[in-house]
Amino acid sequence: MTNIVLPPATIGIIGGGQLGQMMALSAKMMGYKVGILDPTAQSPAGQVSDFQIVAEYNDESALTELSERSDVLTYEFENVDIAVLAKHKNILPQGTKLLEITSNRLTEKTVVQNIAKVPVAKFIAVHNSQDFKTAVTKIKLPAILKTVSGGYDGHGQWHVDNQEDVDQLIKDFPMGTLILEQKVPFKKELSIMVTRDAQSRVTMWPISENVHVNHILKTSVVPANISDMLTEKIQQIATEIAHALDLRGVLGIELFISDDHVWVNELAPRPHNSGHYSIEATNVSQFEGHIRSITGLPLPEITLEKPALMLNLLGDEIQQARKDLVNHSEWHFHDYGKAVVKYNRKMGHITVIGEDNIKKLYEWSQTHGQR
């Protein structure tokens, strides 16, 4: 699709979580109508949209209804039924190729390595315990075993640091196709958001420096404390990947670095948790950038006026943050409106701008953060 889709056209979003919510808020601000497909009534995205179809993501009739009521379709997560979605690709600017690539870790790493010519950690496909035994002899430990699809926030992952871990896994080996990845000796975890407009112009957001706790993103700070050389190298990697994938919409690229070495860890074919800071800290957020890209609108150069910190609120941290909001005028507070509070579930986030406010938020997190 190369036509420009202008307000008040309707954007249909598959998925009703917080990413869909923030997409919807940006689209509504620009004058678009928004429809959501999600199985949970009054989903976070559904709460701020014009309508929600309550159905499973693979419900073909529900997806057809969303398509018929929309002028353009997009999605907020990877685990979409690609075969069903392909039937509506005439109004899906992102297409299904990117989903096919990023929904399978083996395919993703192969494409990044062979097409975009970007370095990744050494990896081997694993189909059974015998494959696993062989792979361990070819990949120097420590390594990590992952499901090729469906995993997130540490689910579907097993650390393989020594022979004891190998023996334990073989006793109750996971089913399905897996991937064994060598752990690279990284010093920092980074990410960058990138998109292309309908004229193939690439736009990037500042590189964020990320900290994960129990495989879940805890903080993102921008700009990342890295050299100009590394910044240029990462921007070039993002540009090469964007062009190689014929990108539309926002793509999140997770990276590892050590000294002057860079490895691509994972791709996310939609706005990314580590780009939430952009709502307040840049002239155009990743969510507005996503909407602009899929509707054919141009994007300006992205600017960051001051350093920023984004802190994820997990589990019952949201309760404490709600109570403390009265004492923190510097907070940009985001509550996703999820009906059920769960441990290790992303319930909201806080962004602050400026060095003094960053220090205060770090201190608050140390005192009140989920352990």
Side-chain angles (χ1 to χ4, degrees), residues 12-135:
I13 302 174
I14 302 164
Q18 62 265 24
L19 295 177
Q21 182 186 71
M22 288 178 268
M23 281 185 205
L25 287 169
S26 285
K28 292 293 294 176
M29 180 179 66
M30 297 172 69
Y32 290 98
K33 300 287 192 297
V34 178
I36 302 296
L37 172 62
D38 194 273
T40 303
Q42 283 294 296
S43 65
Q47 294 170 28
V48 299
S49 298
D50 295 278
F51 66 89
Q52 178 181 337
I53 299 169
V54 181
E56 295 296 331
Y57 306 120
N58 61 354
D59 186 323
E60 191 164 351
S61 63
L63 189 54
T64 298
E65 180 186 348
L66 180 66
S67 177
E68 290 174 346
R69 297 175 67 178
S70 303
D71 298 287
V72 61
L73 283 180
T74 188
Y75 45 81
E76 66 137 19
F77 66 106
E78 293 92 313
N79 299 322
V80 183
D81 191 314
I82 296 172
V84 174
L85 192 59
K87 297 178 181 179
H88 308 279
K89 61 184 179 182
N90 61 308
I91 61 168
L92 183 73
Q94 294 153 277
T96 57
K97 178 185 174 183
L98 181 59
L99 270 179
E100 290 168 1
I101 292 168
T102 56
S103 63
N104 184 297
R105 287 191 172 93
L106 280 168
T107 306
E108 177 181 284
K109 288 194 177 295
T110 301
V111 166
V112 169
Q113 186 177 55
N114 296 343
I115 297 179
K117 307 297 183 185
V118 171
V120 298
K122 188 176 181 181
F123 65 96
I124 296 178
V126 173
H127 301 282
N128 50 51
S129 59
Q130 187 57 51
D131 280 357
F132 178 57
K133 291 178 185 176
T134 303

Side-chain angles (χ1 to χ4, degrees), residues 149-278:
S149 61
Y152 67 97
D153 289 349
H155 298 282
Q157 298 186 10
W158 299 267
H159 289 277
V160 188
D161 295 333
N162 48 49
Q163 188 59 44
E164 184 180 343
D165 291 338
V166 173
D167 296 339
Q168 191 63 40
L169 270 167
I170 289 173
K171 288 180 183 177
D172 186 20
F173 199 74
M175 299 289 288
T177 303
L178 306 163
I179 179 173
L180 185 68
E181 298 177 17
Q182 189 171 44
K183 289 184 179 179
V184 297
F186 68 90
K187 294 181 179 178
K188 290 184 178 182
E189 297 179 73
L190 308 176
S191 58
I192 185 170
M193 309 301 116
V194 60
T195 192
R196 286 163 82 242
D197 65 15
Q199 285 70 47
S200 300
R201 291 180 296 238
V202 173
T203 299
M204 287 172 280
W205 280 262
I207 299 166
S208 66
E209 187 171 327
N210 308 318
V211 173
H212 288 77
V213 177
N214 298 324
H215 301 286
I216 302 173
L217 181 66
K218 190 59 187 173
T219 60
S220 293
V221 63
V222 287
N225 183 21
I226 58 175
S227 67
D228 291 343
M229 182 195 71
L230 272 176
T231 297
E232 291 176 10
K233 183 180 285 190
I234 290 168
Q235 289 173 338
Q236 184 60 38
I237 285 172
T239 300
E240 289 173 358
I241 290 175
H243 286 312
L245 298 178
D246 195 23
L247 180 65
R248 291 289 296 281
V250 165
L251 176 74
I253 304 174
E254 297 180 32
L255 310 117
F256 296 138
I257 64 162
S258 179
D259 298 325
D260 60 346
H261 297 289
V262 180
W263 300 268
V264 171
N265 179 35
E266 288 187 354
L267 306 180
R270 34 89 184 151
H272 190 266
N273 192 175
S274 64
H276 290 353
Y277 72 86
S278 64

